Amino acid sequence: MKTFSISDTGLQREINEDFCFTSDNPVGNLPNLYIVADGMGGHKAGEYASRYTVERVVASISRNPQTEPVLVMTEAIHLANDMLQTESRNDETKRGMGTTIVIATIMDGTLYVANIGDSRLYIIDSSKKKAKQITRDHSLVGEMVRLGEMDEKEAKAHPDKNIITRAVGAFEKVEAEFFEVDLEPDQYVLMCSDGLTNMVGDEEMAGVVSGDGSIEEKCNQLVAAANANGGSDNITVVLHKPNLDEVKAC
């Protein structure tokens, strides 16, 4: 098994507003596709926003004739944002809804990542038991950390940590931030919502992923750790172990 995903409601929420999608097989002209979204909005609007956005992104990528991954993902995100904006305007119960999203695909040994919001993608080096965050949080505290106004520990406890500065559907126009990473042997790709990262530190995550067990067992251990530390939010985890043909040749 190359990829496993799990989404858990957590211990303190009644509704799971996270949604994920994984495919180790081609989706349109992309050789594979992995997505995590974390919705926001009252009266189940967040649950709707994350699912609707992921479904629209997958549908757009499936139909797109282009082969350049950044262009394919950009068009999918813009279309999903427009459609979610329309849904929000037409249904008063969905006003103000939005969702984070992180999208990844691996092509010719390179990981291409699109990110909006504070759901994250990490590269876990299992030989060194190290986690490296690839995405940048589009949040109020994330900006403060980048400006040196607080550290990561302070950010986790900050009362405004859930204020997002970029989200699909929440604004008329939204732009993703893109990242490219050359994958190496012994690395895992970990994608998750903030229900994991707010409860489990990077060092602990790296230890779990680098440890013994199957990919499924490691995902379950990460969710269990988040719940053991309070489970204050929905928890979604996608873990992918690249094949040899998905890493850069030495």
Side-chain angles (χ1 to χ4, degrees):
M1 182 182 293
K2 290 169 52 180
T3 308
F4 187 78
S5 63
I6 183 172
S7 191
D8 187 84
T9 305
L11 302 180
Q12 299 183 30
R13 299 290 180 94
E14 295 182 358
I15 297 173
N16 191 346
E17 296 184 322
D18 290 356
F19 196 81
C20 65
F21 172 89
T22 68
S23 176
D24 290 327
N25 298 312
V27 177
N29 286 326
L30 299 186
N32 43 66
L33 185 63
Y34 312 99
I35 307 174
V36 170
D38 179 359
M40 62 198 78
H43 194 61
K44 296 188 178 181
E47 179 186 33
Y48 181 88
S50 59
R51 177 179 57 81
Y52 184 88
T53 297
V54 171
E55 290 174 349
R56 297 286 75 75
V57 165
V58 172
S60 174
I61 290 173
S62 299
R63 297 189 300 264
N64 198 314
Q66 300 184 87
T67 58
E68 207 289 313
V70 172
L71 290 177
V72 172
M73 290 190 285
T74 297
E75 290 188 7
I77 289 166
H78 287 169
L79 178 61
N81 188 71
D82 290 345
M83 296 179 76
L84 200 63
Q85 280 267 303
T86 299
E87 289 283 317
S88 181
R89 287 193 295 267
N90 292 339
D91 187 342
E92 189 172 330
T93 66
K94 296 184 176 70
R95 296 279 166 82
M97 68 177 174
T99 184
T100 71
I101 195 165
V102 56
I103 310 172
T105 188
I106 301 168
M107 183 180 293
D108 298 325
T110 299
L111 174 70
Y112 296 88
V113 185
N115 181 59
I116 295 171
D118 62 354
S119 293
R120 294 180 179 179
L121 183 145
Y122 289 85
I123 295 296
I124 308 291
D125 187 329
S126 60
S127 63
K128 299 176 182 177
K129 296 185 178 180
K130 295 289 186 181
K132 180 180 180 181
Q133 183 180 341
I134 302 302
T135 53
R136 299 200 306 173
D137 294 349
H138 301 137
S139 64
L140 181 62
V141 296
E143 299 292 343
M144 294 172 75
V145 169
R146 284 192 286 278
L147 291 171
E149 296 177 4
M150 69 172 66
D151 59 27
E152 289 284 355
K153 185 176 180 180
E154 291 172 321
K156 278 194 173 186
H158 199 280
D160 295 330
K161 66 182 179 182
N162 293 324
I163 297 179
I164 305 299
T165 56
R166 219 184 284 193
V168 179
F171 306 97
E172 185 174 345
K173 300 293 182 183
V174 68
E175 296 298 331
E177 190 167 7
F178 288 92
F179 308 86
E180 296 182 17
V181 181
D182 289 340
L183 293 175
E184 300 176 3
D186 299 320
Q187 290 182 336
Y188 288 80
V189 178
L190 171 66
M191 302 166 68
C192 59
S193 60
D194 65 349
L196 178 68
T197 54
N198 284 339
M199 298 287 104
V200 182
D202 291 3
E203 186 175 336
E204 185 177 357
M205 287 192 293
V208 170
V209 175
S210 303
D212 297 330
S214 66
I215 289 180
E216 179 178 356
E217 289 169 337
K218 293 173 182 182
C219 286
N220 286 325
Q221 288 175 38
L222 290 171
V223 170
N227 281 325
N229 290 335
S232 64
D233 201 352
N234 309 143
I235 309 150
T236 296
V237 179
V238 172
L239 186 61
H240 175 80
K241 181 65 175 77
N243 287 339
L244 289 177
D245 61 352
E246 293 178 332
V247 301
K248 284 291 185 181
C250 298

